[in-house]
Amino acid sequence: MTNHHQSTRGKPRVALVTCSALPDLDPDDRLVSGPLAARGITAEPARWDDPAVDWSRYDLVVLRSPWDYALRRDEFVAWARTVPRLVNPADVVAWNTDKRYLAELSAAGVPTVPTTWVAPGESWTPPADSGEIVLKPAVSAGSQDTGRYDLADPEHRELAVAHVRRLSTAGRVTMVQPYLSAVDTAGETALLFLAGPDGLAFSHAIRKGPMLTGPDLGVAELYKEERIDARAATPEQLDTAAKTLAVVPGGTDRLLYARVDLIPGRDGAPVLVELELTEPSLFIGYADGAPERLAAAIASHLNR
């Protein structure tokens, strides 16, 4: 089969990759369609697991909301490796969809939330102290299968053990992290970076309010509802984000976007919660000009 390129067939076509639960994309992602059309670029939603899609027909394939991949990560990564002109690239997808990358970033000197890992089949007992912890799988999206536990509460301790056992039985690695109480007041800050002429450039930031109210009871949901507000990034947050992006394997020149999620640590300094390079919400509806900046980033990748 011959690949068709924009130089030989009129308007460039871009696939915005989604999942069956969001066939018309997440509402925030739809905001880029107009700015892309204004640039003469046709954008179409496409499900990542739709066998009828011919990915070679697109000049660029942009991962946006394939948020159902967590229970099929191997399948998702294998699919990504078959897609031409995918952004972010397949090797980034393979690295970033398993949150054990946090251990690599921590070893490289990036301040991260302290994390321990419980492998499938490994026994786990809640720490003896009475603080709060967060449990979540190493492969997840949208805060799926994530819970908050108060270890001073005997019932919470039992539910925490059950949570780890549930993930272990499913063959999933569990992350154990302290709950950082600053999220209840300062919230979580997401810094959004988009491709520009000189590589990734800071676009905007948002504040996410606290989402975890208690234990996870195993109820399936695509993502947890979030309270989002615009926020100005501080120099310290931007510095932490720069340190994080500086150690991304393969560098950041290939990336279309990146999202760096930070929370104040116990000393008040920002620590990394997650580095989102696969399918992050970009919150382009919360910053003036952000839809146009995303369209410009996509156009820049089309021109490469």
Side-chain angles (χ1 to χ4, degrees):
M1 180 180 294
T2 301
N3 288 342
H4 300 284
H5 297 281
Q6 64 194 67
S7 59
T8 61
R9 57 168 181 79
K11 289 185 177 182
R13 297 177 68 213
V14 171
L16 301 178
V17 180
T18 185
C19 61
S20 58
L22 296 166
D24 298 316
L25 301 171
D26 181 70
D28 190 70
D29 287 328
R30 294 177 208 150
L31 298 176
V32 77
S33 297
L36 285 174
R39 291 173 173 269
I41 300 168
T42 299
E44 302 171 354
R47 296 194 341 257
W48 73 270
D49 57 353
D50 183 350
V53 176
D54 179 2
W55 301 102
S56 69
R57 295 173 60 228
Y58 293 100
D59 298 293
L60 197 68
V61 178
V62 179
L63 288 165
R64 289 311 318 122
S65 49
W67 295 335
D68 60 356
Y69 77 83
L71 297 180
R72 295 185 287 162
R73 176 181 175 266
D74 290 348
E75 179 186 346
F76 181 66
V77 170
W79 164 82
R81 288 177 172 142
T82 69
V83 178
R85 299 175 294 281
L86 180 71
V87 285
N88 285 332
D91 63 303
V92 173
V93 170
W95 179 76
N96 190 240
T97 50
D98 187 326
K99 293 180 177 60
R100 282 177 285 188
Y101 69 77
L102 288 170
E104 295 181 40
L105 295 181
S106 178
V110 176
T112 63
V113 178
T115 306
T116 56
W117 313 86
V118 184
E122 185 177 349
S123 62
W124 179 78
T125 302
D129 61 78
S130 58
E132 289 188 284
I133 62 170
V134 172
L135 299 177
K136 57 186 172 183
V139 178
S140 68
S143 296
Q144 300 170 32
D145 303 302
T146 300
R148 171 182 173 181
Y149 299 88
D150 181 355
L151 297 181
D153 183 332
E155 183 181 4
H156 274 222
R157 296 180 73 88
E158 291 180 9
L159 289 171
V161 171
H163 188 167
V164 174
R165 184 184 304 117
R166 186 166 63 249
L167 294 177
S168 180
T169 300
R172 306 173 77 184
V173 173
T174 302
M175 303 170 61
V176 184
Q177 298 176 323
Y179 184 79
L180 299 180
S181 59
V183 75
D184 293 328
T185 51
E188 181 177 328
T189 301
L191 284 72
L192 287 305
F193 295 80
L194 299 172
D198 301 314
L200 280 184
F202 176 69
S203 171
H204 59 285
I206 58 94
R207 175 190 185 275
K208 292 196 280 185
M211 294 184 296
L212 302 179
T213 57
D216 176 72
L217 301 178
V219 178
E221 53 187 345
L222 188 63
Y223 57 86
K224 293 185 186 297
E225 292 295 331
E226 300 173 321
R227 176 174 175 175
I228 307 298
D229 300 289
R231 164 168 277 181
T234 68
E236 193 174 21
Q237 289 169 337
L238 289 167
D239 181 64
T240 301
K243 289 176 180 176
T244 302
L245 294 171
V247 294
V248 171
T252 59
D253 289 346
R254 304 175 300 149
L255 303 182
L256 176 66
Y257 50 67
R259 197 181 90 197
V260 182
D261 295 345
L262 305 172
I263 291 177
R266 287 173 174 158
D267 63 355
V271 296
L272 180 71
V273 183
E274 289 189 25
L275 171 62
E276 299 264 14
L277 303 179
T278 301
E279 33 60 42
S281 294
L282 297 175
F283 306 111
I284 57 175
Y286 292 87
D288 291 343
E292 289 74 20
R293 288 193 291 276
L294 178 56
I298 291 171
S300 73
H301 273 258
L302 282 167
N303 293 330
R304 293 187 178 188

